[in-house]
Amino acid sequence: MSETVTVAVTGAAGNVCQSLLFRLAAGEPFGPDASIRLQLIEKSESMKALEGLAMELEDCALPLLESVSLHDDPVSGFKDVDFAILTGAKPRTPSMDRMQQLQENPSIFVEQGRALGKVAKETVKTLVVGNPANTNALIAWANARYLPHHQFSALMRLDHNRALGFLARKIGINPLRIKRLTIWGNHASTLFPDASHLRIDGQPIRMALDMNWYRDIMIDQVQQRGAAVISCKGKTSSSSAAQAIIDHLRDWRFGTEEGDFVSMGVLSQGEYGVTPGLFFSYPVTCRKGRAEVVEGLDLDDFCRRMVRVTEEELVRERKAIENLLPMSPELLLARAHSEVA
């Protein structure tokens, strides 16, 4: 093997990880030439279940899986990791609203951010999955001293993939043929799936797309898809979330396809007039392990209104958790600028 990739996963005995861990252990996002070390992190009361999951990983005899270690402390679990996948958070239930998640989950990410800043590799890439993911990404980065913001992102690929699936089914084509989709904003019911720049086989498809269906039906269905899954299953998305994590990590590591862009929650610097200092989903391209916002796209009045709604929700969320940030949003933004410098 040419290298070893060490991956920490929080909430490792949870719903998403029942699908995710085996795919990580098989090396899906990291390529066939990298061996994998998994450092799995859970609460003390869930360690027994995690032991059983680790046994199953070992019993698969996966050729790329070098080792599995179990941790009930993020300081030991994040030691010297290359990637950290933060799925650990109280999962949404049919009766739970977003405000409850905002009250119950963000404090977890203070501790995890501090631990990452203390013991992870300086180059660690951190993907925040646990909801509210965008605001939790802000909390984790803000509390991870010395780690730059471009090494943190919030998972928006699930929404991106959902929208691709809706479009592919409607048009009757393979989703791989659809390029340049964007999810703007928050991983919440305000997110905006933007079809303005779509291409099929390199050609614009707006003329072929039923815009009434898109605006009146598809947008709402993508926004509410997570709630619909919970209503049917009684629990949050698992396999589709695992697929989104794999896709996100693969693009982050190896780069996006030429001529295409994907959706990631990254720290806003004021692009497209969005309030700076929010982890906001933008169209991005990835090169050499770095995600860069695609700038210069034309947004019509409808798109701008939709972007503004999801931006305002993230501003409210940031206000609600300011007590968990080690400094003011203004100082955090200054820190982000100094990281770039």
Side-chain angles (χ1 to χ4, degrees):
M1 300 300 167
S2 60
E3 66 174 316
T4 298
V5 179
T6 303
V7 185
V9 185
T10 70
N15 184 39
V16 172
C17 289
Q18 301 296 321
S19 298
L20 175 65
L21 295 182
F22 295 89
R23 301 182 67 180
L24 293 175
E28 283 194 42
F30 306 115
D33 298 322
S35 59
I36 308 300
R37 293 175 183 159
L38 289 179
Q39 296 178 186
L40 307 182
I41 306 168
E42 256 298 357
K43 298 177 294 186
S44 298
E45 57 267 31
S46 299
M47 291 303 289
K48 198 68 177 177
L50 189 58
E51 288 178 20
L53 196 54
M55 291 178 189
E56 287 201 80
L57 284 165
E58 292 171 353
D59 292 348
C60 289
L62 295 164
L64 297 179
L65 183 58
E66 182 176 303
S67 65
V68 180
S69 61
L70 310 184
H71 308 263
D72 62 3
D73 171 26
V75 173
S76 66
F78 289 141
K79 179 69 173 175
D80 294 331
V81 296
D82 298 291
F83 288 86
I85 306 169
L86 310 187
T87 75
K90 187 171 183 179
R92 183 179 169 191
T93 63
S95 61
M96 180 183 288
D97 61 26
R98 189 164 187 83
M99 188 51 64
Q100 287 176 292
Q101 283 191 312
L102 195 60
Q103 292 170 345
E104 296 185 23
N105 283 336
S107 60
I108 299 169
F109 293 84
V110 174
E111 179 186 16
Q112 292 179 355
R114 289 172 179 167
L116 283 164
K118 183 178 181 180
V119 300
K121 288 183 179 178
E122 292 182 354
T123 55
V124 63
K125 289 182 170 60
T126 298
L127 173 58
V128 179
V129 179
N131 285 316
N134 300 61
T135 296
N136 288 339
L138 173 62
I139 294 168
W141 164 67
N143 284 280
R145 60 178 184 173
Y146 310 129
L147 295 181
H149 66 87
H150 61 79
Q151 292 172 205
F152 285 75
S153 62
L155 184 71
M156 298 298 299
R157 192 59 170 267
L158 177 55
D159 308 296
H160 185 102
N161 287 351
R162 286 167 171 165
L164 276 179
F166 274 102
L167 288 163
R169 289 190 296 274
K170 179 66 175 178
I171 302 169
I173 62 172
N174 189 305
L176 289 176
R177 294 174 60 192
I178 303 174
K179 309 298 181 184
R180 296 169 64 89
L181 173 72
T182 300
I183 303 293
W184 298 92
N186 197 8
H187 178 61
S189 61
T190 62
L191 66 86
F192 172 45
D194 182 4
S196 301
H197 315 286
L198 290 179
R199 301 286 187 274
I200 294 179
D201 301 331
Q203 300 301 313
I205 70 167
R206 287 196 69 166
M207 298 301 293
L209 184 63
D210 182 343
M211 296 305 293
N212 290 328
W213 169 82
Y214 162 67
R215 291 192 177 187
D216 298 338
I217 297 175
M218 178 189 144
I219 290 175
D220 181 69
Q221 288 189 344
V222 174
Q223 290 173 333
Q224 300 298 329
R225 188 65 159 188
V229 170
I230 293 171
S231 177
C232 291
K233 292 178 58 180
K235 60 178 71 174
T236 55
S237 301
S238 54
S239 296
S240 57
Q243 179 66 51
I245 292 167
I246 297 294
D247 291 341
H248 182 115
L249 293 174
R250 182 187 295 117
D251 284 342
W252 207 0
R253 178 170 167 84
F254 293 112
T256 47
E257 182 181 337
E258 190 69 31
D260 197 10
F261 44 72
V262 296
S263 306
M264 289 187 182
V266 297
L267 190 72
S268 61
Q269 306 287 325
E271 301 95 338
Y272 296 95
V274 171
T275 301
L278 306 172
F279 270 80
F280 193 88
S281 183
Y282 284 106
V284 305
T285 56
C286 298
R287 297 287 183 275
K288 298 180 179 179
R290 184 84 173 254
E292 298 288 348
V293 175
V294 176
E295 299 198 62
L297 298 177
D298 291 329
L299 302 184
D300 61 23
D301 290 342
F302 173 76
C303 292
R304 292 185 182 279
R305 288 196 303 270
M306 297 296 287
V307 169
R308 199 63 57 223
V309 169
T310 193
E311 173 197 358
E312 289 170 353
E313 181 181 49
L314 278 169
V315 170
R316 291 193 298 271
E317 288 189 12
R318 185 177 68 180
K319 184 67 176 177
I321 57 84
E322 279 189 4
N323 63 307
L324 300 178
L325 304 177
M327 59 185 76
S328 70
E330 292 76 18
L331 289 175
L332 283 171
L333 194 61
R335 169 185 154 185
H337 290 159
S338 69
E339 292 168 354
V340 173

